[in-house]
Amino acid sequence: MSLDRELSKRADNKCELCGNTEHLEIYTLEPIKDKSLEHSLTVCKTCLTQIEDPEQTEANHWRCLNDSMWSEHQPVQAMAWRMLSRLRKEGWPQDLLDMMYLEDEVLKLAQATGEGEDDADKIIHRDVNGVILETGDSVVLIKDLKVKGSSIVAKQGTAVRRISLDHENAEYIEGKVDGQQIVIITQYVKKL
């Protein structure tokens, strides 16, 4: 059975977060790259837009988490925790977070993107011009870089698409150059 069908069946053809039945998509929890039943959930366009762009988050839309946070499915629990953590300053989300219990493995997955950390504690990745980098951004190399452990030289001007961030060091990002996943120092890239 395909992932689409399995998720549709699990979600009963509804958004697993708010229950909407229109414009459904598969969302895979960051920083996971492979779509799988254990790391993906069905979300509507409204939820997806707000998940991916914190600037568009409407707190009242997420009151639906009062129900979905109790889901038996781990990706739904992790996403509910992330959104409640993002909104915790509203008051009511903190009350829900206080009631919520996650297994260690699910909590680790939920915390993988840095949601729930105070802004002062968050690691912020910036390019050479000081522009903030996010997971999924595209960057361009501003200098030729030798790739350690191989004979590859990543040339200046090479575009690196869909980067991922190192959540322990603000100086490192990861991306594919010539089909090989490499670690790149942020001072040698510029956001596209």
Side-chain angles (χ1 to χ4, degrees), residues 14-29:
K14 296 178 186 173
C15 173
E16 291 184 88
L17 298 172
C18 73
N20 190 349
T21 57
E22 297 178 4
H23 308 290
L24 301 176
E25 298 181 39
I26 294 175
Y27 177 76
T28 301
L29 294 171

Side-chain angles (χ1 to χ4, degrees), residues 7-190:
L7 279 172
S8 290
K9 184 179 177 185
R10 181 179 89 188
D12 195 24
N13 293 314
K14 296 178 186 173
C15 173
E16 291 184 88
L17 298 172
C18 73
N20 190 349
T21 57
E22 297 178 4
H23 308 290
L24 301 176
E25 298 181 39
I26 294 175
Y27 177 76
T28 301
L29 294 171
E30 294 285 340
I32 307 294
K33 297 191 183 1
D34 300 324
K35 290 184 177 185
S36 69
L37 197 59
E38 297 81 35
H39 297 114
S40 301
L41 61 153
T42 303
V43 296
C44 66
K45 186 84 171 155
T46 304
C47 287
L48 182 63
T49 300
Q50 294 184 42
I51 288 167
E52 292 182 338
D53 186 1
E55 299 292 318
Q56 295 189 36
T57 303
E58 297 172 23
N60 282 330
H61 172 77
W62 295 102
R63 290 190 181 270
C64 59
L65 296 177
N66 190 30
D67 294 325
S68 55
M69 70 184 229
W70 301 111
S71 170
E72 64 187 84
H73 306 292
Q74 294 180 351
V76 180
Q77 294 169 4
M79 195 69 241
W81 186 92
R82 286 181 184 179
M83 293 310 297
L84 289 170
S85 294
R86 183 184 296 177
L87 297 165
R88 71 185 178 281
K89 292 180 181 164
E90 296 286 324
W92 61 267
Q94 185 61 54
D95 294 339
L96 295 179
L97 279 170
D98 292 343
M99 288 189 282
M100 196 172 189
Y101 171 78
L102 297 178
E103 297 288 336
D104 291 341
E105 171 186 321
V106 180
L107 183 58
K108 186 175 180 183
L109 177 62
Q111 293 173 333
T113 58
E115 286 292 352
E117 293 179 11
D118 290 332
D119 289 340
D121 296 336
K122 269 191 183 175
I123 293 176
I124 298 173
H125 295 75
R126 295 181 186 273
D127 73 0
V128 68
N129 296 323
V131 177
I132 295 175
L133 299 172
E134 302 285 342
T135 298
D137 283 347
S138 295
V139 297
V140 65
L141 301 178
I142 62 167
K143 165 181 178 172
D144 287 356
L145 301 174
K146 289 184 180 179
V147 179
K148 288 184 179 178
S150 78
S151 60
I152 296 175
V153 175
K155 297 287 186 188
Q156 177 179 346
T158 301
V160 182
R161 308 217 183 279
R162 297 192 44 85
I163 63 167
S164 57
L165 308 177
D166 182 322
H167 294 290
E168 295 178 11
N169 189 330
E171 297 295 314
Y172 297 142
I173 60 172
E174 292 184 24
K176 282 193 176 185
V177 173
D178 295 333
Q180 183 176 352
Q181 187 79 6
I182 64 169
V183 174
I184 307 167
I185 298 174
T186 56
Q187 66 187 6
Y188 300 127
V189 300
K190 182 172 70 172

